[in-house]
Amino acid sequence: MIKTRLIATASSVPEQIITNDDISKIVDTSDEWITQRTGIKERHISSGENTSELVADTARKLLERASVAPENVDLIVVASVTPDFGTPSLACMVQKEIGAVNAVAFDIAAACSGFMFALSIADKYIKAGVYKNAVVIGGETLSKIIDWKDRSTCVLFGDGAGGAYVEKSEDAGIICEDLGSCGDQYHILTEGYSPCSNAFNEIPSGVHPDWYVHMDGREVFKFATKNVIKSMQKVMSQEKLTQGDIKYIVPHQANVRITEVISKKLDIPYEKFYMNMERYGNTSSASIPIALNELNEKGLIARGDKIILSGFGGGMTWGTMLIDW
């Protein structure tokens, strides 16, 4: 049976680190307030790097670690809600930067679930026999769409990119998944509103472009705890797994309180959830692959381990994958 195996992981973040104390100098907040409510202590914030630079750097690392020549890459899928341009795609920019002249390249947008959706797409192409390998990356510079006067959102987010090089395998890889969307709740997490303005219409008074992130934190919390729990239960039930069969769970790094609720409701020890939001904040589509790469670089997972990746994001969307590492 054909599977899609993760061969290499990598990540890239801006060098500039912004602490909670730094943020308290520009908005009414404090390190204690942020830490207690989110678990975040610091985040990497761009000092000029755009998303394409972080994504391309991640792609270069992936090929180096996988010992793959750029011209042998079949597919590049990038997940992002903060690309450099509306078009071209980040994936096409990466294709140029790494010299993957034979690859098919495109972007997808599923917010913080983006990497899960992108990995699922690559998995289907590989299992269908269309391609043999893929570079899959989630990358964001969320700092450019944050209202730095809004303390309810500006304390949460960071910039970065993470990804995986995957290829066809008959031994191990992605076992099963659960993806979902709930458009009825799209309004609880939005960014980048652009009204239709042209030479033949008038924009209603008071309507204007709004590039900032807007979030109903309470409703997002409810959505995440409900749907991630159901999604993880579905995946584990499908394979008849108990928590003892799982080496690590890599959740979306959004809020430590969300993860604590999920851990308690599923009766899975909190220690099995790999967390690094304290140092990165919420990097949206990059958060799961950044954490996965850190887990891999530390040597905490080995071939044969079963791990779960699970995220949620704007749309609203969610995605869970069980992987035989």
Side-chain angles (χ1 to χ4, degrees), residues 127-200:
K127 286 179 177 175
V130 179
Y131 303 121
K132 294 180 180 179
N133 63 62
V135 169
V136 183
I137 300 173
E140 311 283 5
T141 46
L142 295 165
S143 59
K144 65 185 180 184
I145 60 168
I146 298 302
D147 181 354
W148 289 96
K149 296 179 182 178
D150 177 11
R151 77 168 185 170
S152 68
T153 57
C154 76
V155 303
L156 301 175
F157 299 99
D159 300 334
Y165 170 80
V166 302
E167 63 182 29
K168 175 181 176 181
S169 172
E170 295 183 357
D171 300 323
I174 297 171
I175 299 173
C176 65
E177 67 177 37
D178 176 60
L179 303 181
S181 305
C182 182
D184 286 348
Q185 290 185 275
Y186 81 87
H187 57 282
I188 67 175
L189 179 53
T190 63
E191 64 93 357
Y193 177 69
S194 179
C196 184
S197 173
N198 59 53
F200 303 97

Side-chain angles (χ1 to χ4, degrees), residues 35-152:
T35 303
Q36 287 184 350
R37 287 162 176 78
T38 69
I40 299 167
K41 299 288 289 185
E42 61 187 34
R43 69 286 293 149
H44 293 257
I45 296 294
S46 171
S47 56
E49 310 98 318
N50 213 332
T51 310
S52 61
E53 296 175 60
L54 300 173
V55 171
D57 187 54
T58 300
R60 292 188 194 96
K61 292 177 181 177
L62 287 173
L63 297 191
E64 180 180 353
R65 294 176 183 184
S67 299
V68 173
E71 60 270 21
N72 291 331
V73 174
D74 292 341
L75 176 67
I76 303 170
V77 186
V78 177
S80 182
V81 294
T82 55
D84 296 22
F85 300 99
T87 189
S89 67
L90 286 166
C92 282
M93 297 174 74
V94 168
Q95 180 191 33
K96 173 184 180 297
E97 291 300 318
I98 67 174
V101 294
N102 297 310
V104 172
F106 59 87
D107 288 359
I108 66 111
C112 303
S113 305
F115 180 74
M116 306 305 300
F117 279 59
L119 190 56
S120 175
I121 290 168
D123 177 52
K124 303 308 175 294
Y125 272 120
I126 289 172
K127 286 179 177 175
V130 179
Y131 303 121
K132 294 180 180 179
N133 63 62
V135 169
V136 183
I137 300 173
E140 311 283 5
T141 46
L142 295 165
S143 59
K144 65 185 180 184
I145 60 168
I146 298 302
D147 181 354
W148 289 96
K149 296 179 182 178
D150 177 11
R151 77 168 185 170
S152 68

Side-chain angles (χ1 to χ4, degrees), residues 244-255:
D245 298 313
I246 306 300
K247 183 65 176 291
Y248 276 105
I249 297 164
V250 183
H252 171 43
Q253 309 289 312
N255 185 308

